[in-house]
Amino acid sequence: MTTDPKAARPLGELERVVMEQLWAADAALTVREVHERLSLTRELAYTTVMTVLDRLAKKKLTERERDGKAWRYRAAAPRADLAADLMRDALDQAGDRREALVRFVGQVSTEEAALLREALSRLEALDG
Amino acid sequence: MTTDPKAARPLGELERVVMEQLWAADAALTVREVHERLSLTRELAYTTVMTVLDRLAKKKLTERERDGKAWRYRAAAPRADLAADLMRDALDQAGDRREALVRFVGQVSTEEAALLREALSRLEALDG
DNA sequence: GCGATCTACGACGTTACGTAGTAGATGCTA
DNA sequence: TAGCATCTACTACGTAACGTCGTAGATCGC
């Protein structure tokens, strides 16, 4: 689990692209910086980006720190964590976990299956 | 994949309990039957259940067939399929699949990890 | 033919999200 | 230090999903 044990609803479309900027950045970004990056591919009001960043913070998906009069935002958790949380939630909704996992591995690509085996091996090595 | 290759958004709360009735039933159920079952634990108008069943049908999550003047609904896909689809969607959102899978297996229970290994073995046996 | 039962469709409240404007606080600069 | 640029806080609006029903009309069995 990342942080919240509850409801990790999938991100909205704009929320996702904003988070992607944060994940892609080395450091925490200001609203302006995120806005600038997004402006390369779409038109958005500065305040729109600010609102989204703010909402993400309220949802605990971003954290922010002061930098002068501005806030700097960074992702509260790695992208992979978010994805893993969503996978968990999905699995939790299945009645029969075994069956759900069977279906899941049955639909992943060969590469993904290999990655899964690898991850499990690594886990085994750790757990002993 | 179950049916729709796209957006398998998680079900709403009422949609979920309705689907659970369908999954739990041996045969296709009428609105009345679903309503009766749900009425055991909560109060709902008959038409509310009907609306939900209808919406689920429009979303291709249920299929229906005539039975006299009434419709009989059944889940369009096994519950496990839905869960697996959601897991897929979640995985697809991860930037780095490897990392996401590592995080995922890192948070599943020991039992789930075992089930995953089992499912992968089975897959391997099939794929050769 | 009637009454019970169904469906079709519209409606309303709430919440999430995309999108943005206004007002006021704040910090840099000439 | 006065003022402009910049930032935040807050409010707002439209849309879509969903929970929740009601009404009207079709339909089936007696």
Side-chain angles (χ1 to χ4, degrees), chain B residues 36-84:
Chain B
E36 277 167 2
R37 285 164 172 66
L38 293 184
S39 294
L40 296 177
T41 54
R42 66 194 289 180
E43 261 192 59
L44 281 176
Y46 174 87
T47 52
T48 295
V49 176
M50 195 178 68
T51 298
V52 170
L53 246 0
D54 197 54
R55 287 181 182 162
L56 288 170
K58 281 181 181 145
K59 285 194 264 187
K60 302 296 173 69
L61 290 173
T62 65
E63 293 171 350
R64 62 185 200 173
E65 58 196 48
R66 274 290 179 188
D67 180 5
K69 68 175 165 180
W71 289 106
R72 282 194 173 278
Y73 295 81
R74 63 188 142 61
R79 188 172 188 178
D81 269 19
L82 256 289

Side-chain angles (χ1 to χ4, degrees), chain A residues 42-121:
Chain A
R42 65 195 288 181
E43 260 191 61
L44 282 174
Y46 174 88
T47 52
T48 294
V49 175
M50 196 179 66
T51 299
V52 170
L53 244 4
D54 196 56
R55 286 180 182 163
L56 287 170
K58 281 183 181 144
K59 287 194 262 187
K60 302 295 174 65
L61 291 172
T62 65
E63 294 171 351
R64 59 185 204 173
E65 58 196 49
R66 274 289 179 191
D67 180 6
K69 68 174 163 179
W71 289 106
R72 281 193 173 279
Y73 295 80
R74 61 187 142 61
R79 188 173 186 176
D81 270 20
L82 255 288
D85 283 353
L86 285 176
M87 290 177 72
R88 243 247 86 69
D89 288 352
L91 180 57
D92 287 340
Q93 295 227 17
D96 181 338
R97 280 148 199 277
R98 179 193 306 272
E99 190 53 25
L101 289 172
V102 167
R103 304 270 182 169
F104 175 64
V105 304
Q107 71 175 196
V108 299
S109 69
T110 308
E111 293 72 34
E112 289 165 340
L115 291 175
L116 255 182
R117 290 198 182 86
E118 182 189 314
L120 284 167
S121 302

Side-chain angles (χ1 to χ4, degrees), chain A residues 1 16 79-81 83-86 88 90 93-95 97-99 103 107 112 115 117-118 120, chain B residues 1 16 79-81 83-88 90 93-95 97-99 103 107 112 115 117-118 120:
Chain A
M1 274 145 271
R16 178 151 27 79
R79 188 173 186 176
D81 270 20
D85 283 353
L86 285 176
R88 243 247 86 69
Q93 295 227 17
R97 280 148 199 277
R98 179 193 306 272
E99 190 53 25
R103 304 270 182 169
Q107 71 175 196
E112 289 165 340
L115 291 175
R117 290 198 182 86
E118 182 189 314
L120 284 167
Chain B
M1 279 148 266
R16 178 150 27 78
R79 188 172 188 178
D81 269 19
D85 283 353
L86 285 175
M87 289 177 72
R88 242 247 87 70
Q93 296 227 20
R97 281 148 198 278
R98 178 192 305 271
E99 191 52 27
R103 304 271 182 168
Q107 72 175 194
E112 290 165 339
L115 291 176
R117 291 197 182 86
E118 182 190 313
L120 284 167

Side-chain angles (χ1 to χ4, degrees), chain A residues 5-42:
Chain A
K6 199 91 228 80
R9 290 271 148 276
L11 299 172
E13 179 274 324
L14 180 54
E15 291 179 324
R16 178 151 27 79
V17 297
V18 165
M19 284 303 293
E20 280 167 5
Q21 289 306 320
L22 298 186
W23 281 319
D26 301 340
L29 302 179
T30 59
V31 172
R32 181 144 308 275
E33 287 165 341
V34 174
H35 181 239
E36 276 167 2
R37 285 163 173 65
L38 295 184
S39 294
L40 296 178
T41 55
R42 65 195 288 181

